[in-house]
Amino acid sequence: GKHQLVQQMIAKMVAGYEASKLLVYRVGWMKNKGIRNTRETSLAKWFTCDAAFNAAVDAVQIHGANGYSHEFPVERYMRNAKALVIYEGTREIHQVMQAEYALGYRKDKELRKNLPSWPFEEEKKLV
């Protein structure tokens, strides 16, 4: 950790983690308020999965040859993080979605029914 390049990698990991948390909290807040969040969920999924994969790749790099060894967990973290980038819509699909939103080609349809906000009516009665 005393080497500047290692510190740079760790700083990028921290920045990706903190930005990811904020995106996920925003989606959770929107969901709790009953606000449509398709665009924000897509952005959070794309960004957080990329940040996790990049952090795992940097962790393997920091560990050097040991990063590929089964003796250290970073090898498994990299494998697991790669799966996140692929399933539930690849990062390329989410990039296209975000570009379409930004360019105005994609718009969310009107909801047929408003989403309930949290706490739900049933839960309010129990309190």
Side-chain angles (χ1 to χ4, degrees):
K2 298 275 185 203
H3 299 285
Q4 288 179 340
L5 290 176
V6 172
Q7 291 174 356
Q8 179 188 22
M9 289 180 189
I10 292 170
K12 285 191 320 188
M13 290 176 195
V14 170
Y17 174 72
E18 293 298 330
S20 295
K21 270 197 320 190
L22 290 172
L23 285 168
V24 170
Y25 288 161
R26 181 171 182 231
V27 169
W29 175 84
M30 291 176 78
K31 193 164 187 68
N32 284 344
K33 292 291 183 187
I35 301 170
R36 182 156 201 157
N37 53 65
T38 306
R39 180 181 188 175
E40 293 79 8
T41 299
S42 169
L43 180 62
K45 194 272 184 198
W46 168 38
F47 186 87
T48 56
C49 291
D50 266 0
F53 182 70
N54 292 336
V57 168
D58 284 348
V60 168
Q61 180 77 21
I62 290 168
H63 282 77
N66 289 328
Y68 284 106
S69 169
H70 293 295
E71 296 174 26
F72 293 89
V74 293
E75 174 265 338
R76 188 183 81 239
Y77 297 155
M78 188 173 74
R79 242 182 318 114
N80 291 347
K82 184 61 177 176
L84 297 174
V85 173
I86 296 170
Y87 68 76
E88 290 298 322
T90 64
R91 77 173 130 204
E92 291 79 16
I93 294 298
H94 289 284
Q95 286 174 343
V96 168
M97 284 177 66
Q98 292 304 313
E100 288 175 347
Y101 276 119
L103 294 168
Y105 300 154
R106 183 193 261 312
K107 295 199 184 330
D108 289 331
K109 295 178 184 172
E110 198 66 36
L111 292 173
R112 285 183 267 157
K113 182 178 177 186
N114 284 337
L115 299 171
S117 62
W118 186 84
F120 304 117
E121 293 300 320
E122 308 84 52
E123 292 176 4
K124 286 181 188 176
K125 292 175 187 174
L126 296 175
V127 177

